Amino acid sequence: EVQLQASGGGEVQAGGSLRLSCTASGFAFDNYAIGWFRQIPGKEREGVSCMTTVNGNTYYGDSVKGRFTMSSDNAKNAAYLQMDNLKPEDTAVYFCTASPPFYYGGVYCTLKEHLQKDWGQGTQVTVSS
């Protein structure tokens, strides 16, 4: 059974930083696609970042490029999202996801919500101005 647990959320002032963690079990973490998504009440979920753990390739949504950094520790079955220079519009519930990676001349992940296989419970991030 796949289990994903996001943690590390909290409240921070604009310009501050937070580091989210996603601990995982139930699948081959070292060759998988891990994603971070967020949802603001009343809006659709937004893909924030994803990573293919076999090679560490990462992809970011346009709204977080240059501010957020995703990483993983395959030995710990854990992924992280370092969020710097946070803005009030980053306020949301953040979820981690896990999916088999895509193979097409290489190995890829995706920020498309409907292609995520498993979702963990979210963690709230609140950024005050």
Side-chain angles (χ1 to χ4, degrees):
E1 178 187 5
V2 172
Q3 292 190 340
L4 299 164
Q5 181 64 55
S7 62
E11 185 169 352
V12 65
Q13 290 190 330
S17 298
L18 281 174
R19 187 188 192 219
L20 304 184
S21 299
C22 175
T23 54
S25 62
F27 59 95
F29 187 91
D30 58 358
N31 189 12
Y32 230 63
I34 305 298
W36 286 100
F37 285 72
R38 66 186 182 185
Q39 185 161 28
I40 301 169
K43 295 189 176 182
E44 293 185 356
R45 284 179 181 172
E46 175 189 7
V48 174
S49 178
C50 70
M51 166 184 278
T52 46
T53 56
V54 68
N55 57 14
N57 286 349
T58 54
Y59 303 88
Y60 299 93
D62 289 341
S63 61
V64 305
K65 282 180 182 176
R67 300 188 298 121
F68 291 11
T69 304
M70 186 172 179
S71 62
S72 72
D73 185 337
N74 292 356
K76 295 182 178 180
N77 282 11
Y80 308 97
L81 186 67
Q82 177 66 40
M83 306 186 295
D84 297 320
N85 190 21
L86 282 160
K87 304 176 180 181
E89 51 264 41
D90 295 317
T91 296
V93 177
Y94 285 71
F95 301 86
C96 60
T97 67
S99 309
F102 295 95
Y103 296 94
Y104 189 76
V107 58
Y108 300 95
C109 58
T110 177
L111 293 179
K112 295 185 184 298
E113 177 187 357
H114 70 282
L115 294 178
Q116 306 304 308
K117 181 176 180 294
D118 293 289
W119 293 75
Q121 291 185 332
T123 185
Q124 176 72 45
V125 171
T126 302
V127 185
S128 57
S129 58

